[in-house]
Amino acid sequence: PEVAAALVAAGVDAVAVANNHAMDQTGRGLLDTVATARAAGLAPLGAGETIEEAFRPWLVERGGLRIAVLSFTRFVNHGHGRPPGAPGHVAHVTQEELVRSALSAAREQADLVVLALHWSSDWEDGPVPSERRLGRQLVEWGADLILGTGPHVLHEVERVPSPRGEALVAYSLGNLVSNQGLRYRVGERPGRDEHPVAITPGARDAVLLLVRASCPERGRVSLLSVEAVPMWTENNFWAIRDREADVDDVHVVRLAEADAPVRAERAAAISSALGPTVNLLLDR
């Protein structure tokens, strides 16, 4: 529960709850999460006591634009993770009619529709063809900005055609903060027998995506700029192991604040992962 308060203190307004771990603590745990988020002042998206609540958009106005935000997931551990009669619902992107209806309803209420989408597979290098097709289908149905999560590493950010002008699909924004990649050290080649969760450097990369959009007329969307602030997760695993520290310290910094070898290596890797659509703000 203290994480919800910390997110609010950091300036977060809404959180996507629809993901593969949504039902790990059963439907009761899911509903506890939703209630805790709301009590802290966060808008939880993609889950709720009813299926209607799970697919309902969060509406906010910023800069003169009405924005609708939704959250869907492609997977939940153990199938849909909800035995008949169990509490709690998660918005699945595979529920096509509900997805189309939710996007259509959001479209009616907003100038800009943002979709947080949990998909892909762990450690995938980039989006697979089925994800590209799904992304375009969701744009066709009403999404303007798709923010992907799931594979724990950064993927391409792509401008795609839209019935409303143009749309953006960020296939994966990486891990903002996690204990993954803890054994990785810049300049060292990890052992082949180690699990990717421990040695993948990209699991410590993330970006804060900054998208400026305008709606010159009803039903039209123009993307003015796509920028990203690169981030890096500091992890003192090796200091603990070598007895140079006795307290775990895992925290996020702007890449610009990281050590020079980290900046040099990860800036190139992040830029390559995101692709040419994004202007990487390396000095922020």
Side-chain angles (χ1 to χ4, degrees):
E2 62 270 22
V3 173
L7 289 170
V8 171
V12 175
D13 299 305
V15 289
V17 180
N19 59 68
N20 61 306
H21 291 290
M23 287 286 187
D24 282 4
Q25 302 301 319
T26 76
R28 292 293 180 192
L30 174 67
L31 295 182
D32 282 349
T33 296
V34 169
T36 299
R38 286 192 179 130
L42 289 170
L45 311 174
E49 192 167 352
T50 66
I51 195 67
E52 292 80 12
E53 185 181 339
F55 277 93
R56 188 177 300 147
W58 177 63
L59 301 170
V60 65
E61 187 167 331
R62 291 289 188 274
L65 294 183
R66 296 170 301 163
I67 303 168
V69 190
L70 306 98
S71 170
F72 304 152
T73 184
R74 197 166 189 179
F75 310 102
V76 170
N77 295 350
H78 310 298
H80 276 216
R82 183 181 177 274
H89 291 263
V90 179
H92 289 258
V93 76
T94 55
Q95 296 169 290
E96 184 174 310
E97 290 306 313
L98 289 172
V99 167
R100 294 186 67 169
S101 177
L103 288 172
S104 177
R107 187 85 264 150
E108 288 296 316
Q109 301 174 76
D111 303 302
L112 192 73
V113 176
V114 179
L115 171 60
L117 180 58
H118 200 80
W119 56 357
S120 191
S121 301
D122 293 353
W123 325 120
E124 283 282 356
D125 290 335
V128 297
S130 63
E131 289 159 4
R132 293 188 187 275
R133 290 194 296 271
L134 177 58
R136 283 162 171 74
Q137 184 67 79
L138 292 167
V139 167
E140 189 72 24
W141 289 343
D144 300 309
L145 173 58
I146 297 176
L147 305 176
T149 56
H152 301 296
V153 292
L154 291 168
H155 283 183
E156 177 186 358
V157 177
E158 180 182 28
R159 289 179 185 255
V160 299
S162 164
R164 296 162 299 284
E166 54 184 341
L168 192 76
V169 183
Y171 288 96
S172 174
L173 294 179
N175 285 337
L176 179 60
V177 59
S178 80
N179 196 38
Q180 296 181 355
L182 70 164
R183 290 177 175 267
Y184 180 74
R185 289 194 282 197
V186 172
E188 293 189 10
R189 179 171 294 182
R192 293 184 178 181
D193 58 339
E194 295 193 75
H195 194 283
V197 73
I199 61 174
T200 301
R204 293 167 66 175
D205 293 332
V207 296
L208 299 181
L209 193 66
L210 309 174
V211 180
R212 292 180 63 243
S214 71
C215 298
E217 58 183 272
R218 176 69 174 162
R220 303 297 296 173
V221 175
S222 176
L223 300 176
L224 305 178
S225 66
V226 182
E227 301 174 315
V229 178
M231 313 294 286
W232 172 252
T233 297
E234 299 280 9
N235 192 312
N236 72 338
F237 168 83
W238 288 105
I240 293 287
R241 178 170 170 172
D242 296 339
R243 300 185 178 180
E244 297 170 357
D246 55 9
V247 177
D248 292 327
D249 184 9
V250 180
H251 65 277
V252 180
V253 298
R254 293 178 177 86
L255 187 62
E257 300 168 344
D259 292 340
V262 173
R263 292 199 307 271
E265 180 188 276
R266 302 322 304 162
I270 291 172
S271 180
S272 176
L274 296 178
T277 294
V278 180
N279 178 27
L280 204 58
L281 304 175
L282 294 171
D283 58 345
R284 291 180 58 179

